[in-house]
Amino acid sequence: AWLTPRLPTLLAEHEATALTQRRESLTALGIDDALALQVAAGDIAVAALDIAEVASGCERSLAQVADVYFALDRHLSFGWLRERAQALPADTHWDLLARTTTLDDLDRLKRALTVSVLQQAGPSVREDSADGLIERWREARHAPLERFGRMLADQRAAGATGLSMLSVATREIGMLEHAA
């Protein structure tokens, strides 16, 4: 209830646009706008559990944690990686397990990196913007982030979308958590 109405301002522009389009297609069918937003945001709103867990563990406000959580999407291309993982074929049981595991790993890493950003900021930093907190976090991880950025650019340029690409990207993201 708290997160869903805020999603259009938290999401990256293309994700907010997609959310709005899904909501509008539902309202065009006669569904109440508030319900249409809840349904359209269903796959994104599950992040509320991660946000609540991080807020409780780090003793931060839901708003600050949500800001950092979704800002990491923009900074580290989690959305693009999730899209690639969701597009993986699932012809066999093992393919489905590999895709699900990759998506779970990305969610776990996003939660862990949100904690990392907030912990690096320290308990006294409560009012800084998410982008400011992430920028300071990034400064402490310059080399691994540069390597991750090059790898991601190479993968985008090559149009790579396979499990091997996602495995490498997930590993590189995981290395950012403690890379200070």
Side-chain angles (χ1 to χ4, degrees):
W2 177 87
L3 180 62
T4 302
R6 290 170 175 77
L7 284 174
T9 61
L10 292 169
L11 296 172
E13 185 176 340
H14 71 282
E15 291 173 328
T17 300
L19 174 64
T20 299
Q21 290 171 344
R22 287 192 306 269
R23 187 192 80 226
E24 288 173 352
S25 69
L26 292 168
T27 57
L29 296 172
I31 297 173
D32 173 72
D33 191 55
L35 179 58
L37 179 59
Q38 283 182 321
V39 171
D43 59 334
I44 303 167
V46 297
L49 298 173
D50 288 341
I51 292 165
E53 181 182 311
V54 171
S56 175
C58 292
E59 298 179 355
R60 300 298 178 105
S61 70
L62 289 173
Q64 185 179 41
V65 173
D67 286 348
V68 170
Y69 186 88
F70 287 105
L72 279 169
D73 242 352
R74 294 187 301 276
H75 288 272
L76 297 176
S77 300
F78 274 100
W80 184 81
L81 291 167
R82 283 189 64 76
E83 288 172 9
R84 303 286 79 75
Q86 289 168 336
L88 288 173
D91 299 329
T92 69
H93 172 72
W94 296 109
D95 292 339
L96 181 60
L97 284 176
R99 181 173 68 188
T100 301
T101 300
T102 301
L103 289 166
D104 288 348
D105 286 347
L106 288 170
D107 290 342
R108 178 184 51 76
L109 288 167
K110 190 172 177 185
R111 188 173 50 248
L113 293 182
T114 301
V115 169
S116 179
V117 168
L118 293 168
Q119 285 179 337
Q120 179 179 311
S124 62
V125 179
R126 302 272 181 199
E127 302 301 321
D128 283 7
S129 73
D131 287 331
L133 293 173
I134 291 170
E135 191 54 41
R136 284 194 294 284
W137 178 84
R138 290 174 63 96
E139 288 170 5
R141 289 158 178 79
H142 179 73
L145 277 164
E146 192 173 286
R147 185 177 60 245
F148 173 74
R150 282 192 311 270
M151 182 246 359
L152 200 60
D154 289 347
Q155 291 177 352
R156 285 181 186 220
T161 59
L163 184 58
S164 56
M165 179 277 293
L166 289 166
S167 294
V168 171
T170 302
R171 181 179 181 275
E172 290 293 323
I173 291 172
M175 294 174 69
L176 298 173
E177 183 179 2
H178 302 290

